[in-house]
């Protein structure tokens, strides 16, 4: 009789469990969860110690800055209601939002802001974004909700620098509590709160029910971000519904996403400009005619159509249209005959040999091969050298005397969204390697002067005028073969909205909702 | 006709010998050749291999287009009468690239095999003939090399000497050395006990002469089999290295590199990746079939 008795108990228990299950089901509404397949895992979740877009994408729903960007890269008030800049671009005053609390209950106020920027501008903390804010010389708490920054010198692009994702405000209590481990335990004021980070598996965020902006609060209960480096896997996840959004979709697979009626391709015009920088300190690139010839030799439209599968547009300035201060300057139409004539005038009727350096990603290689093919049409034999990122970076950052670079395919996104960061690091003498990214060793007296002028003032009109002139000089003097501005592509399920990739390549996840 | 041959003179009391009795004895090689001819699978492999060599040699006459000429407006076109195998992302004719790629792959296959063969056979001969500490040192070193998985070893070699097609030949060659050395050594170990070798030594032949004139020709059959099979392995290894970006550099029409380039277009233009994949398949298969056939044909235990 024992086994039968046991079976009876088992049946009773299981039916109770089943009943309980059905009884509870309808009362608890289903949790709204969004799963995002992202091309990489975060490196850190401390915005002051982050310099990669994968990390910023996950930080942004949790951490807000004094100023933020909307989806068009326009500055919008976030934790500051308004701000003032002195005309000499040295003193910046912020009037803070009242009644905001961090996720851990710490009140958001001027002291918290001061603590944040004191932390990042202290070189002893060795934070990756130290250089962005080191120009701040003094921070004064005027009252509970007013804070004033004084800079060591005039810096007209400071407002944009505050809007940079590194300016995300962290709870000073949490920074104190976690110390070195803060990057794994972020606490901010955003619509989503941090729950857990299992490296190389997932990061979970839950909604912040007390978010200060009721109109733009969280619309789902949970966001799970999974690192999925292989693009094919990301797309399969999206197709199966295992992910509701993927960041990113490679151009080659855009058609696959677009052609699926359950999916949407989310394309955003970026602030990335792509270009081939020429080492203007070396022959033959010291010759303006040669540089112009190479600009005429490249058929940008054709490469965009074939390699970028149409997701780009030819650039008419070194600064992308969505960057503050962009002014259209000029484009070089595809004209191989003119290119040949210019090369002949420059003393290279039969062209020359050179090396084209760049990254080893499939996309970079395809672009470089296309450029190689077009340069060949005008007699320039370019050997393509694609290098792994660490080697490439080491080669690019070698000082002039040791740098073997001739022409180099690269791209840049100014993450402050301001023309200063789109020009100064790339095209001025004090930013030659090994200091920064002027990898073509370019310098031009007028450009140097204008870039400085634009930083001496906070007057937007004056700054814009200076940058417009710089852009014209760059396009005329062509230290680069200016190529295109691309689109960044994400993919979402058709029933999901409010999610995209920002023009700067950072995921914009905070407004996601189910339709 | 019978009885008119010189050796068939009718002698009373002696039966005439069967015709062909005095036929020249067949060598191992002609025997093997006959056996090979009777093996249809091996012959198919052989014929394809010969065709591939012909295509490789005459690439410029066979290919309808320049393999690196781009036509970006015609990117990822499907196979059609104008482009038999379609075009890749740069609008290059895939059929022409495959044909030029044949020359590249076969060259790597042959040269890589040859390099491995030269070094391997030399080491194997010395090791087997002299024995003792030399044998010990050579074989243990080769054991160390064999302990590495093949492709990984090739990648390590490329990492040291740098990427590029010429370096792939070196990598593939080094990677084939132990195979040749072990087979040669095994042969030499048994051959050096043979009477004719002892006789040669007794007559005062030098070591070098014994190895080259007596041991090597008799050890050749298994080496030839290994060599044929190694061509296939070499081609596959080279394609793998190029697939990983360590071999051919753009815009070289190498099959492995083409396969890698086409991979991301699998969903929208499958022909870009499948065509070089098929080319690798057919080539490697043909040399493997030929090699297997040769092994059967050259095995003295298998009689016709």
């Amino acid at each position: 009789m024992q086994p039968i008795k046991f079976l009876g108990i088992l049946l009773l228990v299981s039916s109770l469990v089943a009943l309980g299950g059905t009884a509870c089901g309808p009362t608890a509404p289903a949790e709204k969860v969004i799963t995002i397949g992202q091309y990489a895992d975060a490196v850190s979740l401390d915005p002051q110690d982050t310099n990669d877009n994968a990390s910023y994408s996950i930080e942004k729903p949790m951490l807000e800055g004094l100023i933020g960007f909307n989806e068009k890269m326009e500055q919008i008030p976030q934790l500051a209601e308004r701000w003032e800049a002195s005309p000499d671009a040295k003193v910046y005053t912020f009037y803070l939002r009242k009644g905001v609390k961090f996720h851990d209950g710490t009140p958001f106020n001027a002291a918290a802001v001061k603590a944040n920027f004191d932390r990042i501008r202290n070189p002893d903390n060795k934070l990756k974004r130290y250089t962005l804010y080191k120009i701040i010389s003094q921070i004064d708490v005027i009252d509970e909700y007013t804070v004033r920054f004084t800079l060591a010198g005039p810096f007209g692009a400071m407002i944009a620098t505050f809007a940079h994702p590194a300016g995300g405000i962290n709870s000073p209590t949490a920074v104190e509590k976690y110390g070195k481990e803060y990057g794994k335990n972020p606490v901010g004021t955003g619509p989503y709160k941090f729950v857990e980070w299992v490296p190389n598996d997932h990061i979970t965020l839950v909604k912040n029910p007390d978010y200060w902006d009721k109109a733009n609060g969280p619309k789902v209960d949970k966001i799970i971000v999974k690192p999925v480096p292989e693009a094919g896997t990301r797309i399969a996840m999206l197709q199966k519904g295992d992910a509701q959004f993927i960041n990113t979709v490679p151009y080659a697979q855009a058609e696959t996403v677009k052609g699926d009626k359950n999916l949407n391709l989310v394309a955003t015009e970026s602030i990335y400009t792509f270009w081939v920088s020429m080492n203007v300190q070396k022959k033959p690139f010291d010759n303006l005619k040669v540089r112009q010839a190479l600009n005429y030799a490249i058929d940008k439209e054709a490469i965009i159509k074939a390699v970028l599968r149409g997701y780009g547009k030819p650039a008419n300035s070194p600064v992308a249209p969505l960057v503050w201060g962009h002014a259209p300057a000029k484009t070089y139409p595809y004209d191989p005959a003119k290119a040949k004539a210019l090369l002949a005038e420059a003393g290279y009727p039969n062209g020359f040999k050179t090396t084209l350096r760049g990254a080893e990603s499939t996309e970079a290689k395809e672009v470089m091969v296309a450029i190689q093919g077009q340069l060949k049409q005008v007699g320039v034999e370019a050997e393509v050298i694609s290098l792994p990122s660490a080697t490439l970076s080491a080669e690019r950052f070698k000082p002039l005397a040791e740098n073997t670079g001739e022409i180099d395919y690269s791209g840049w996104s100014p993450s402050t969204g301001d023309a200063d960061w789109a020009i100064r690091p790339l095209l001025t003498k004090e930013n030659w390697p090994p200091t920064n990214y002027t990898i073509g060793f370019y310098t031009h007296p007028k450009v140097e002067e204008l870039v400085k002028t634009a930083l001496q003032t906070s007057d937007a009109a004056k700054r814009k005028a200076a940058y417009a002139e710089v852009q014209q000089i760059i396009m005329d003097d062509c230290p680069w073969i200016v190529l295109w501005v691309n689109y960044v592509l994400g993919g979402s399920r058709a029933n999901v909205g409010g999610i995209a990739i920002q023009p700067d390549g950072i995921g914009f996840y905070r407004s996601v909702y189910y339709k | 006709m019978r009885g008119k041959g010189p050796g068939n003179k009718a002698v009373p009391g002696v039966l005439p010998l069967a015709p062909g009795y005095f036929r020249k004895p067949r060598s191992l090689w002609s025997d093997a050749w006959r056996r090979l001819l009777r093996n249809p699978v091996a012959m198919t492999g052989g014929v394809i291999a010969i065709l591939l060599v012909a295509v490789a040699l005459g690439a410029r006459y066979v290919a309808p287009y320049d393999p690196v000429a781009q036509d970006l407006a015609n990117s990822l076109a499907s196979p059609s009468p104008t482009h038999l195998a379609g075009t890749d992302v740069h609008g290059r004719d895939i059929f022409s690239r495959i044909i030029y790629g044949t020359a590249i792959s076969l060259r790597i296959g042959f040269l890589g095999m040859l390099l491995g063969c030269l070094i391997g056979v030399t080491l194997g001969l010395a090791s087997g003939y002299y024995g003792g500490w030399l044998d010990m040192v050579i074989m243990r070193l080769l054991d160390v090399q064999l302990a590495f998985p093949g492709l990984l070893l090739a990648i390590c070699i490329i990492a040291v000497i740098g990427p590029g097609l010429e370096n792939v030949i070196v990598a593939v060659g080094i990677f084939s050395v132990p195979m040749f050395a072990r087979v040669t050594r095994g042969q030499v170990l048994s051959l050096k006990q043979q009477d004719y070798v002892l006789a040669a030594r007794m007559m005062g032949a030098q070591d070098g002469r014994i190895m080259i004139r007596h041991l090597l020709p008799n050890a050749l059959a298994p080496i030839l089999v290994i060599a044929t099979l190694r061509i296939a392995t070499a081609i596959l290894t080279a394609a793998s290295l190029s697939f990983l970006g360590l071999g051919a550099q753009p815009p070289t029409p190498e099959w492995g590199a083409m396969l890698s380039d086409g991979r991301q277009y699998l969903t929208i233009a499958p022909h870009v990746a499948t065509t070089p994949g098929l080319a690798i398949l057919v080539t490697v298969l043909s040399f493997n079939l030929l090699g297997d056939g040769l092994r059967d044909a050259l095995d003295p235990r298998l009689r016709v």
Side-chain angles (χ1 to χ4, degrees):
Chain A
M1 289 307 275
Q2 277 305 97
I4 290 173
K5 201 168 164 190
F6 175 72
L7 199 70
I9 293 170
L10 196 73
L11 272 173
L12 189 68
V13 170
S14 51
S15 52
L16 274 177
V17 168
L19 269 176
T22 44
C24 290
T27 50
E31 204 179 36
K32 286 186 191 163
V33 181
I34 290 282
T35 304
I36 296 168
Q38 190 174 275
Y39 64 94
D41 198 7
V43 177
S44 164
L45 292 176
D46 175 357
Q48 304 191 343
D49 200 27
T50 295
N51 60 8
D52 63 294
N53 284 348
S55 300
Y56 279 134
S57 301
I58 306 172
E59 288 163 16
K60 290 218 102 181
M62 301 184 279
L63 296 137
E64 297 172 298
L66 297 173
I67 308 170
F69 287 123
N70 66 9
E71 63 279 9
K72 286 182 190 147
M73 287 300 286
E74 291 160 347
Q75 293 164 4
I76 50 162
Q78 232 166 26
L79 291 176
E81 283 179 319
R82 60 194 175 87
W83 50 88
E84 284 160 7
S86 69
D88 66 354
K90 276 178 81 171
V91 181
Y92 294 83
T93 312
F94 287 88
Y95 301 93
L96 308 181
R97 201 171 291 284
K98 300 183 177 85
V100 178
K101 276 196 162 59
F102 288 100
H103 301 150
D104 61 358
T106 310
F108 166 78
N109 53 26
V113 173
K114 178 173 160 58
N116 264 271
F117 287 97
D118 276 340
R119 176 176 178 246
I120 195 168
R121 72 194 181 97
N122 181 354
D124 299 339
N125 290 333
K126 295 195 169 57
L127 295 161
K128 284 183 188 140
R129 289 302 188 178
Y130 158 72
T131 46
L132 273 180
Y133 301 98
K134 68 175 179 186
I135 194 167
I136 299 172
S137 64
Q138 199 184 330
I139 305 173
D140 298 303
V141 175
I142 308 294
D143 63 40
E144 176 86 17
Y145 294 106
T146 312
V147 64
R148 190 171 64 207
F149 295 84
T150 310
L151 309 189
F155 189 64
M158 200 60 207
I159 292 294
T161 308
F162 280 115
H164 188 282
I169 305 291
N170 310 283
S171 157
T173 327
V175 170
E176 182 96 357
K177 180 176 160 196
Y178 295 108
K180 294 261 175 232
E181 296 296 294
Y182 178 72
K184 293 174 191 156
N185 301 279
V187 178
T189 58
Y192 289 89
K193 299 194 278 191
F194 175 76
V195 178
E196 62 167 353
W197 178 4
V198 180
N200 292 317
D201 193 70
H202 70 271
I203 292 175
T204 307
L205 317 179
V206 291
K207 74 171 175 188
N208 170 15
D210 308 320
Y211 184 59
W212 57 268
D213 186 358
K214 294 297 169 207
N216 297 302
K219 297 181 185 76
V220 298
D221 299 302
K222 207 182 247 183
I223 296 178
I224 300 172
V225 184
K226 294 185 174 175
V228 187
E230 186 60 44
T233 316
R234 284 200 297 276
I235 288 170
M237 276 175 80
L238 191 67
Q239 284 172 328
K240 277 178 66 194
D242 292 343
Q244 281 71 47
F245 184 77
I246 56 170
N247 172 8
T248 58
V249 175
Y251 304 128
Q253 269 109 344
E255 277 313 302
T256 315
V257 175
K258 225 176 163 183
D260 190 326
K261 65 177 190 320
N262 296 319
L263 310 179
N264 283 335
L265 184 72
V266 188
T268 314
E269 182 186 328
S270 82
I271 54 166
Y272 283 85
T273 355
F274 289 84
W275 31 269
V276 175
S277 109
M278 296 175 264
N279 188 334
V280 297
Q281 302 297 327
K282 272 191 189 165
K283 276 189 183 316
F285 308 105
D286 56 343
N287 189 324
L288 173 64
K289 290 207 164 92
V290 170
R291 301 199 298 265
Q292 286 172 333
L294 299 198
N295 269 283
Y296 283 117
I298 305 300
D299 187 351
K300 295 116 199 156
E301 302 265 8
I303 303 181
I304 290 171
K305 200 162 161 271
V307 180
L308 276 66
R309 309 310 297 162
Y311 292 99
K313 54 183 192 185
N316 53 15
S317 149
V319 181
L322 290 179
V323 174
W324 185 92
H326 162 83
K330 100 194 246 184
T331 49
Y332 288 83
Y334 178 51
D335 191 344
K338 195 161 184 179
K340 271 188 184 161
L342 280 165
L343 281 176
E345 278 176 47
Y348 300 93
N350 303 315
F352 54 86
K353 281 195 168 136
T354 185
T355 55
L356 171 57
R357 186 165 72 183
E360 62 171 0
S361 67
T362 317
E363 212 175 282
K365 265 195 204 163
E366 285 180 351
V367 169
M368 288 195 285
V369 168
I371 291 174
Q372 178 187 42
Q374 292 177 346
L375 289 180
K376 202 177 162 200
Q377 301 288 315
V378 299
V380 176
E381 296 277 346
E383 185 195 346
V384 170
I385 300 181
S386 33
L387 299 170
S389 55
T391 321
L392 180 62
S393 165
E395 288 293 323
R396 278 175 174 163
F397 279 94
K398 279 184 181 164
L400 180 59
E402 299 160 33
N403 204 305
T404 54
E406 294 191 343
I407 64 177
D408 196 319
Y409 168 65
S410 184
W412 181 268
S413 137
S415 38
T416 57
D418 186 283
D420 171 64
W421 203 243
I423 294 167
R424 198 161 47 93
L426 312 178
L427 293 156
T428 58
K429 183 152 190 182
E430 55 172 29
N431 288 291
W432 283 13
T435 311
N436 215 326
Y437 209 58
T438 305
I439 53 178
F441 299 95
Y442 182 70
T443 178
H444 186 289
K446 190 72 186 167
V447 171
E448 306 275 349
E449 184 196 317
L450 287 165
V451 164
K452 286 203 178 77
T453 313
L455 285 184
Q456 305 289 326
T457 173
S458 60
D459 182 333
K462 278 189 198 151
R463 296 189 66 221
K464 271 194 171 164
Y467 290 130
E469 201 180 338
V470 170
Q471 290 167 66
Q472 192 60 52
I473 295 172
I474 298 292
M475 289 311 281
D476 288 334
D477 201 32
C478 42
W480 294 346
I481 305 170
V482 176
L483 299 173
W484 49 73
V485 172
N486 71 342
Y487 284 77
V488 282
L489 307 181
S492 76
R493 297 287 302 175
N495 62 342
V496 168
I499 187 162
I501 300 171
Q502 294 176 177
D504 55 5
I506 296 173
F508 182 75
Y509 303 157
R510 57 178 284 165
S511 308
V512 65
Y513 61 87
Y514 276 103
K515 285 175 186 166
Chain B
M1 298 293 276
R2 183 174 287 187
K4 285 195 177 166
N8 285 352
K9 204 161 262 177
V11 177
V14 179
L15 280 172
L17 287 167
Y21 184 82
F22 290 105
R23 195 181 56 184
K24 203 175 159 227
R26 288 186 306 202
S27 73
L28 168 72
W29 297 104
S30 69
D31 250 4
W33 178 241
R34 277 154 195 270
R35 271 186 292 229
L36 191 65
L37 285 180
R38 271 181 238 161
N39 181 344
V41 178
M43 284 317 288
T44 315
V47 169
I48 296 175
I50 290 167
L51 273 177
L52 286 169
V53 173
V55 164
L57 293 176
R60 71 180 64 199
Y61 307 106
V62 187
Y65 294 91
D66 176 347
V68 296
Q70 302 183 2
D71 177 11
L72 290 173
N74 220 341
S75 165
L76 299 181
S78 299
S80 68
T82 41
H83 294 286
L84 287 178
T87 62
D88 67 6
V89 71
H90 295 102
R92 297 174 294 196
D93 182 55
I94 294 179
F95 183 64
S96 303
R97 288 177 69 75
I98 293 285
I99 285 171
Y100 276 89
T102 315
I104 293 170
S105 286
L106 290 188
R107 185 167 161 272
I108 299 176
F110 278 111
L111 291 182
M113 174 277 288
L114 213 61
L115 181 71
C117 184
L118 278 175
I119 304 175
V121 168
T122 312
L123 290 177
L125 270 176
S127 166
Y129 184 75
Y130 292 110
W133 65 268
L134 184 69
D135 181 34
M136 178 76 184
V137 171
I138 292 177
M139 292 329 278
R140 290 302 80 77
L141 282 177
L142 293 178
D143 282 347
V144 170
Q145 194 190 322
L146 273 178
F148 286 95
L151 189 61
L152 189 65
L153 179 73
I155 292 173
C156 291
I157 298 171
I158 290 290
V160 175
I161 60 181
L165 270 184
E166 305 306 315
N167 291 347
V168 166
I169 296 176
V170 176
V172 164
I174 295 177
F175 154 77
S176 296
V177 165
M179 210 66 166
F180 283 105
R182 288 170 74 103
V183 168
T184 313
R185 175 177 173 270
Q187 286 289 307
V188 170
L189 281 181
S190 73
L191 287 173
K192 74 174 179 182
Q193 308 297 337
Q194 301 278 327
D195 290 345
Y196 64 88
V197 177
L198 296 177
R201 190 181 284 169
M202 243 162 57
M203 288 166 73
Q206 302 275 313
D207 288 349
R209 186 183 166 84
I210 294 177
M211 281 194 267
I212 307 282
R213 292 291 299 261
H214 299 287
L215 294 176
L216 186 58
N218 289 297
L220 215 52
I223 295 176
L224 187 70
V225 173
I226 297 285
T228 317
L229 293 172
R230 271 339 251 190
I231 291 176
T233 317
I235 290 173
L236 201 58
T237 312
S240 311
L241 287 173
S242 293
F243 183 87
L244 297 171
L246 301 170
Q249 296 304 306
T252 320
E254 205 278 340
W255 294 343
M258 289 169 69
L259 187 64
S260 168
D261 291 347
R263 196 175 38 139
Q264 62 162 341
Y265 299 105
L266 262 181
T267 46
I268 54 169
H271 64 276
V272 183
T274 42
T275 322
L278 279 175
I280 297 172
L281 174 81
V282 169
T283 311
V284 171
L285 188 66
S286 72
F287 280 97
N288 273 336
L289 292 179
L290 180 64
D292 280 348
L294 274 177
R295 184 171 54 209
D296 291 348
L298 285 167
D299 189 339
R301 280 165 302 184
L302 289 176
R303 283 280 149 235
V304 187

